[in-house]
Amino acid sequence: MTRTDLAEIYRGYIACLNRQDWANLAAFVHEDAHYNGKRVGLSGYREMLEGDFRAIPDLHFDIDLLVSDPPRIASRLHFDCTPTGVLFGLPVNGRRVQFSENVFYEFRDGRIENVWSVIDKAAIEAQL
């Protein structure tokens, strides 16, 4: 798989998330998915994302930076949103916040198998 091919798959994945198209998530996420070193499987990954959208109704994933080096993707995602309650242990409670996520993905068979994510919680704290 080329860098361009993998980047296009990743952009399709982000579009899938933004549409909340959970029925097609398996096209992008491996059944044996891991998140920050813990096996969550496809179902657990989907549950995590659905929970994110419940906590942040206006959640939208914006790719700020994308580096493709098959079988891995490195991405910096930007968020400008209004969480309804507590977010990452912080009492956001309906205030608009902006923050980034630095995330690395490892693909197997064209689907995400491993995800390592770090949220810029300090950026949220600074806005509260």
Side-chain angles (χ1 to χ4, degrees):
M1 179 174 304
T2 69
R3 291 173 189 233
T4 302
D5 292 340
L6 190 59
E8 286 306 309
I9 290 171
Y10 180 72
R11 290 180 195 286
Y13 160 72
I14 293 297
C16 179
L17 298 185
N18 285 332
R19 290 190 311 270
Q20 299 181 52
D21 184 5
W22 309 129
N24 287 311
L25 189 62
F28 300 99
V29 178
H30 201 279
E31 185 65 40
D32 192 36
H34 290 72
Y35 184 81
N36 284 344
K38 179 183 175 191
R39 186 190 184 286
V40 294
L42 174 60
S43 62
Y45 198 82
R46 176 179 171 164
E47 287 173 18
M48 177 186 66
L49 290 165
E50 289 175 334
D52 292 343
F53 276 94
R54 279 192 301 275
I56 311 169
D58 63 347
L59 182 61
H60 185 82
F61 293 74
D62 288 314
I63 300 170
D64 188 35
L65 179 65
L66 176 62
V67 177
S68 177
D69 187 16
R72 294 175 191 89
I73 289 277
S75 182
R76 181 171 174 86
L77 300 170
H78 178 75
F79 301 94
D80 183 347
C81 55
T82 314
T84 58
V86 175
L87 181 68
F88 311 123
L90 300 170
V92 179
N93 300 323
R95 285 179 270 189
R96 180 177 169 223
V97 292
Q98 296 180 5
F99 62 96
S100 294
E101 175 184 17
N102 296 307
V103 62
F104 299 89
Y105 303 85
E106 188 171 56
F107 288 71
R108 180 167 56 119
D109 302 326
R111 294 182 293 158
I112 297 166
E113 182 177 39
N114 289 295
V115 179
W116 298 275
S117 167
V118 178
I119 305 284
D120 185 359
K121 186 176 170 182
I124 300 169
E125 290 172 331
Q127 296 168 69
L128 299 180

